[in-house]
Amino acid sequence: LMAKQLVKSKDKIPVIIGDYGPMWVYPTSTFDCIVADPKKGTKMYGLKSYIEYQLSTTNTNRTVNHRYKHFDWLYERLLVKFGLAIPIPSLPDKQVTGRFEEEFIKMRMERLQAWMSRMCRHPVVSESDVFQQFLNFRDEKEWKTGKRKAEKDETVGCMIFAAVEPEAPDFDMTEVEQKCEAVGKFTRAMDDGVKDLLNVGQEHWKRCTGPLPKEYQKIGKALQNLSQVFGTSGYQGETDLNSAITEAGKTYEVIATMVEEQPRKDLHFLMETNHEYKGFLSCFPDIISAQKGAIEKVKESDKLVATSKITQQDKTNMIKRVSTMSYALQAEMNHFHSNRIYDYNSVLRLYLEQQIQFYEAIAEKLKQALSRFPVM
Amino acid sequence: LMAKQLVKSKDKIPVIIGDYGPMWVYPTSTFDCIVADPKKGTKMYGLKSYIEYQLSTTNTNRTVNHRYKHFDWLYERLLVKFGLAIPIPSLPDKQVTGRFEEEFIKMRMERLQAWMSRMCRHPVVSESDVFQQFLNFRDEKEWKTGKRKAEKDETVGCMIFAAVEPEAPDFDMTEVEQKCEAVGKFTRAMDDGVKDLLNVGQEHWKRCTGPLPKEYQKIGKALQNLSQVFGTSGYQGETDLNSAITEAGKTYEVIATMVEEQPRKDLHFLMETNHEYKGFLSCFPDIISAQKGAIEKVKESDKLVATSKITQQDKTNMIKRVSTMSYALQAEMNHFHSNRIYDYNSVLRLYLEQQIQFYEAIAEKLKQALSRFPVM
């Protein structure tokens, strides 16, 4: 907490005061990174195989290849460097079996894409050397050099706060404590809410892809079966009715498929967004406990000054550093909230739009089926 | 099979040949009977209580009261009299516990109504003395007299065929056998089809009124919960989003109720119709076996003539009677098919119409919910 370190000016992380309070400085232009084209590669004369993804960065037009384990390396570096100030969500799970299956590769790529886009949108992470170098190295040598440099970076863990420079007066300790409490309370409550929605969504997904379409299929079969029996009556003038019943039966089979496929079109995205936020939220306990640890140290500092274990100047420095930590937390929370509002608004709009289309499409199918029935 | 009986001309049951083959003679005007106004009555100084229904017959404007046990008496009479020629479906089940509960009384009344309407629509049953007397007695004394008379009626069981008078040449035995086989095959297959649809419908009913609305409720709660958490963020400018999420959550609770209530509006009628037909179809084995028994007797008759156990004239009479039975069966089947076509067309139209309204209503609710979300 008391450590001083020389931080190069280009590595400084300013916090300014915006309309919503402390905020990171956002770069004037943003970029994204497209993860695509998963290719199977081999090494050790074909003994080992792996999947390599192509990463294209939109602002530099540079394209690099990375394996999952490189992403994992990047994640570790970002976690070590920023983890006490910025939530760095985990990568999609490492999976050992079935990792060459197409469905798995597609899903992993989609999640790596989401993860990279998150990182690209973060004003501090995206501007960091390690991140830039991951996306923009020119050749194997530059990658290796960058890797070694990143691993030797000393502005990691608590040290990151030495780089943070709030352009505003220090907070007093009461405000620091209150903000920390509020963030803890909010992130725990949101974590519960997100997990709740994930559980409900999971359950709904299972029903929509399992028993429900099976039931619609059965209804469809039962109707078709009945119309087939009716067709054997030998009674004249019921062909129109029977073909209408057959069509209605087929319609319910189509509805079964629609029901089964629908979650991929709406619930999927709602789940993925919540999954991402669950990842963010699981990072907060570490961030909160770093803040709380620092607050406790400041509280103990009077005793330490009295017993001459630290000087008055040390204590002043400690208070300043805790205030800086709080600036960082508040800047990060404002980043988090503005993203959250945007993300949940987008994904819920998408969900409702898709649900509307789904119910309207079913109604339309049923209308067609109804129109086949004779009017008696 | 050989019995001769004097049947009064007003009790004769003619079979004519219509466009679709043998048919009953339909009365020029039809009537219905409205079962309504269930009232609790008591007897034995209040020791016993029962429910009495009011029956109003549309063509005579007469109103009589009957208890369930009177319906049961009528059912027994009709079964004894017509059961080998005409399917007389069972009454709704007798239930001992909970028979004074409003829901049960309503359901029973609805089914008694359906049963009475069926009987009123049947050209032979509706014109019979026992049925007319059940609906049109003027006082207790007339009811008692009519009851005794009906119980003494001898034109019952096989004897009913003595009353049937086909106005067409006799069928040959091959045709009789073929028709009998075909009816047996059709009614067994339809019985399977109807039971299948009832099972699927039952399963679907349970899902629609059980787990499915519970799930929509959970989705609704999870969304409302999340918006409540969001409301505690302290971040400015998210009130619109949060109230939109709350509304979306409430919408899913409304959808839960819609899903739960829907089966009463559509599946209910589909189930009731199939339930009625299950009742009809369960009568056919007796009808078929009466026909088959008679056919067997005719086949044995050569031997009986040879051994002088019956005369040639007896045999000729037997063949005539079997032909008459076949006329009755075919007339009844044509009645059955025309009702079936009308009933299934009506109930499936109703089902699809209600389903369309249901899905459109959900889409409408979701559209309203979507419109609350801010456009970013």
Side-chain angles (χ1 to χ4, degrees):
Chain A
L1 192 59
M2 296 184 301
K4 257 281 176 218
Q5 206 194 8
L6 283 172
V7 177
K8 286 178 205 143
S9 77
K10 83 165 189 63
D11 292 334
K12 296 213 162 136
I13 305 166
V15 174
I16 58 172
I17 303 298
D19 292 343
Y20 296 83
M23 60 182 281
W24 303 121
V25 174
Y26 285 79
T28 43
S29 71
T30 57
F31 64 93
D32 199 358
C33 156
I34 313 302
V35 183
D37 203 16
K39 272 207 187 82
K40 204 165 168 173
T42 54
K43 57 180 210 171
M44 291 170 70
Y45 310 102
L47 271 178
K48 277 196 157 182
S49 53
Y50 54 86
I51 303 292
E52 202 164 52
Y53 302 90
Q54 196 180 71
L55 282 68
S56 315
T57 304
T58 56
N59 61 340
T60 57
N61 288 321
R62 204 177 289 280
T63 294
V64 298
N65 291 329
H66 277 302
R67 296 173 50 184
Y68 179 84
K69 73 170 206 178
H70 299 157
F71 282 94
D72 202 34
W73 175 87
L74 176 64
Y75 164 69
E76 281 294 335
R77 288 342 304 154
L78 295 177
L79 186 66
V80 165
K81 187 171 177 61
F82 296 115
L84 295 184
I86 295 166
I88 308 292
S90 306
L91 288 177
D93 288 340
K94 190 153 192 152
Q95 185 172 333
V96 179
T97 56
R99 71 200 159 100
F100 297 118
E101 280 163 27
E102 210 172 313
E103 189 67 13
F104 170 74
I105 291 169
K106 198 175 149 242
M107 177 63 115
R108 168 176 275 181
M109 195 171 73
E110 199 187 309
R111 287 183 170 171
L112 287 173
Q113 174 67 71
W115 190 87
M116 282 308 294
S117 291
R118 287 270 165 211
M119 297 297 111
C120 291
R121 275 206 300 271
H122 196 287
V124 177
V125 173
S126 65
E127 296 291 301
S128 67
D129 280 352
V130 55
F131 192 73
Q132 283 292 333
Q133 206 269 340
F134 185 82
L135 294 180
N136 291 308
F137 63 89
R138 269 169 301 192
D139 52 33
E140 195 64 12
K141 195 176 155 230
E142 213 176 273
W143 162 240
K144 291 262 156 103
T145 318
K147 224 171 149 220
R148 267 198 303 278
K149 196 180 147 222
E151 282 160 5
K152 280 186 195 152
D153 186 1
E154 289 183 348
T155 314
V156 297
C158 269
M159 289 306 137
I160 195 68
F161 297 111
V164 175
E165 297 212 329
E167 295 174 2
D170 290 353
F171 286 124
D172 68 31
M173 286 301 293
T174 321
E175 194 163 0
V176 169
E177 276 194 82
Q178 274 171 0
K179 289 287 177 192
C180 179
E181 280 304 324
V183 169
K185 204 175 157 196
F186 177 81
T187 52
R188 281 191 302 273
M190 183 170 167
D191 191 48
D192 288 345
V194 162
K195 281 176 182 163
D196 188 25
L197 199 54
L198 281 170
N199 286 338
V200 172
Q202 185 76 19
E203 201 185 323
H204 194 52
W205 186 292
K206 276 188 198 154
R207 190 175 315 283
C208 290
T209 56
L212 206 53
K214 262 189 205 131
E215 216 162 272
Y216 284 117
Q217 238 159 29
K218 278 191 199 167
I219 293 172
K221 289 264 179 257
L223 289 174
Q224 287 175 78
N225 180 26
L226 200 64
S227 102
Q228 208 186 353
V229 173
F230 284 1
T232 67
S233 73
Y235 196 79
Q236 291 163 45
E238 65 170 309
T239 28
D240 284 357
L241 172 64
N242 292 344
S243 67
I245 300 178
T246 301
E247 278 309 307
K250 283 185 186 160
T251 300
Y252 274 95
E253 286 186 322
V254 170
I255 291 173
T257 314
M258 290 166 70
V259 167
E260 193 168 10
E261 286 170 0
Q262 189 56 25
R264 298 227 144 266
K265 295 182 192 161
D266 50 25
L267 191 52
H268 172 68
F269 299 102
L270 187 57
M271 297 292 276
E272 286 297 301
T273 297
N274 278 285
H275 197 79
E276 279 190 83
Y277 274 88
K278 190 182 141 196
F280 280 126
L281 292 163
S282 71
C283 301
F284 277 94
D286 285 349
I287 294 170
I288 302 288
S289 83
Q291 298 258 330
K292 282 195 175 163
I295 291 165
E296 283 308 306
K297 285 266 161 61
V298 169
K299 283 183 177 171
E300 287 166 18
S301 62
D302 280 335
K303 216 167 27 178
L304 297 173
V305 172
T307 56
S308 300
K309 289 205 171 112
I310 60 169
T311 65
Q312 190 64 39
Q313 184 58 44
D314 287 337
K315 188 190 158 184
T316 310
N317 288 345
M318 277 167 73
I319 292 173
K320 193 175 180 59
R321 190 67 64 83
V322 171
S323 167
T324 301
M325 287 175 79
S326 189
Y327 268 106
L329 180 65
Q330 290 177 52
E332 183 54 28
M333 282 316 286
N334 282 333
H335 178 73
F336 179 85
H337 287 318
S338 89
N339 274 285
R340 169 180 61 79
I341 291 165
Y342 179 82
D343 290 337
Y344 276 89
N345 190 47
S346 309
V347 82
L348 284 170
R349 288 188 73 96
L350 175 81
Y351 184 74
L352 291 174
E353 275 160 12
Q354 291 295 320
Q355 284 266 294
I356 292 163
Q357 274 186 34
F358 170 65
Y359 287 115
E360 284 182 339
I362 291 181
E364 197 43 53
K365 290 274 171 211
L366 291 172
K367 269 185 196 167
Q368 283 167 24
L370 175 62
S371 73
R372 304 284 302 258
F373 279 80
V375 180
M376 286 183 178
Chain B
L1 193 60
M2 296 184 301
K4 256 279 177 222
Q5 205 195 9
L6 283 172
V7 176
K8 285 180 203 140
S9 77
K10 83 168 189 64
D11 293 333
K12 294 213 163 136
I13 305 168
V15 174
I16 59 172
I17 304 298
D19 292 344
Y20 295 83
M23 61 183 280
W24 303 122
V25 175
Y26 285 78
T28 43
S29 70
T30 57
F31 65 93
D32 199 357
C33 157
I34 313 303
V35 183
D37 202 16
K39 274 208 187 83
K40 203 165 169 175
T42 54
K43 58 180 208 173
M44 290 171 72
Y45 309 101
L47 270 177
K48 277 195 158 182
S49 53
Y50 53 84
I51 304 293
E52 201 165 52
Y53 302 88
Q54 196 180 70
L55 281 71
S56 316
T57 304
T58 57
N59 62 340
T60 58
N61 287 321
R62 205 178 288 279
T63 294
V64 298
N65 291 329
H66 278 302
R67 296 173 50 184
Y68 178 84
K69 74 170 206 179
H70 299 158
F71 282 94
D72 201 37
W73 174 85
L74 176 63
Y75 164 70
E76 280 295 334
R77 283 347 302 154
L78 294 177
L79 186 67
V80 165
K81 185 170 179 66
F82 296 116
L84 294 183
I86 295 164
I88 307 292
S90 306
L91 289 177
D93 288 340
K94 192 155 192 155
Q95 185 172 330
V96 180
T97 57
R99 70 197 160 98
F100 296 118
E101 279 162 29
E102 209 173 316
E103 188 67 12
F104 170 74
I105 292 169
K106 198 175 149 241
M107 177 63 116
R108 168 175 276 180
M109 194 171 73
E110 198 187 311
R111 288 184 170 169
L112 287 174
Q113 173 69 71
W115 189 87
M116 281 309 294
S117 291
R118 288 273 165 211
M119 296 298 109
C120 289
R121 276 206 300 270
H122 197 288
V124 177
V125 173
S126 65
E127 297 289 302
S128 67
D129 281 352
V130 57
F131 192 73
Q132 284 293 334
Q133 206 267 338
F134 185 82
L135 295 181
N136 292 307
F137 64 88
R138 268 170 300 190
D139 51 32
E140 195 63 14
K141 194 177 156 227
E142 213 176 277
W143 163 241
K144 291 262 156 100
T145 318
K147 224 170 148 223
R148 266 198 304 278
K149 194 181 149 219
E151 281 159 6
K152 280 186 195 151
D153 185 2
E154 289 184 345
T155 315
V156 296
C158 269
M159 289 307 137
I160 195 68
F161 297 110
V164 175
E165 296 213 328
E167 294 172 2
D170 290 351
F171 287 124
D172 69 33
M173 285 302 291
T174 322
E175 195 162 359
V176 168
E177 275 193 86
Q178 274 171 0
K179 288 288 177 191
C180 180
E181 280 305 324
V183 170
K185 203 175 158 198
F186 176 81
T187 52
R188 280 190 303 272
M190 182 170 166
D191 192 46
D192 288 345
V194 162
K195 282 176 182 164
D196 188 25
L197 200 54
L198 281 170
N199 286 337
V200 172
Q202 186 77 19
E203 202 184 323
H204 194 53
W205 186 292
K206 276 187 198 157
R207 189 174 315 283
C208 291
T209 56
L212 206 52
K214 265 192 202 123
E215 217 162 89
Y216 284 116
Q217 239 158 29
K218 279 190 198 167
I219 293 172
K221 289 264 180 254
L223 289 174
Q224 288 176 77
N225 181 27
L226 200 65
S227 103
Q228 208 187 350
V229 173
F230 284 1
T232 67
S233 73
Y235 195 79
Q236 290 162 44
E238 64 170 311
T239 26
D240 283 359
L241 173 63
N242 292 344
S243 67
I245 300 178
T246 302
E247 278 308 307
K250 283 184 187 162
T251 301
Y252 274 95
E253 287 186 321
V254 171
I255 291 173
T257 313
M258 288 166 73
V259 168
E260 192 167 12
E261 286 171 358
Q262 189 56 26
R264 298 228 143 265
K265 295 181 191 162
D266 51 26
L267 192 52
H268 172 67
F269 300 103
L270 187 57
M271 295 293 275
E272 286 296 302
T273 297
N274 277 285
H275 195 82
E276 279 191 82
Y277 273 88
K278 190 182 142 200
F280 280 126
L281 293 162
S282 70
C283 301
F284 276 95
D286 284 349
I287 294 171
I288 303 288
S289 83
Q291 299 258 329
K292 283 196 174 160
I295 292 163
E296 282 310 303
K297 285 264 160 65
V298 168
K299 282 182 177 171
E300 286 166 21
S301 64
D302 278 337
K303 210 161 37 172
L304 296 173
V305 171
T307 56
S308 299
K309 292 218 170 97
I310 60 169
T311 66
Q312 190 63 40
Q313 184 57 41
D314 287 334
K315 187 189 159 185
T316 311
N317 287 344
M318 277 168 71
I319 292 172
K320 191 172 185 59
R321 189 67 63 85
V322 170
S323 166
T324 301
M325 286 174 79
S326 189
Y327 268 106
L329 181 64
Q330 290 177 53
E332 183 55 27
M333 282 317 286
N334 281 334
H335 178 71
F336 179 86
H337 287 317
S338 87
N339 276 284
R340 169 180 61 78
I341 290 165
Y342 179 82
D343 290 336
Y344 276 89
N345 190 47
S346 309
V347 82
L348 285 169
R349 288 189 74 95
L350 175 80
Y351 184 74
L352 291 173
E353 277 160 9
Q354 291 296 320
Q355 285 266 294
I356 291 163
Q357 276 185 33
F358 169 64
Y359 287 114
E360 284 182 340
I362 291 180
E364 198 42 55
K365 291 272 171 211
L366 291 171
K367 269 186 195 166
Q368 284 167 23
L370 176 61
S371 73
R372 302 285 303 258
F373 278 81
V375 180
M376 287 184 177

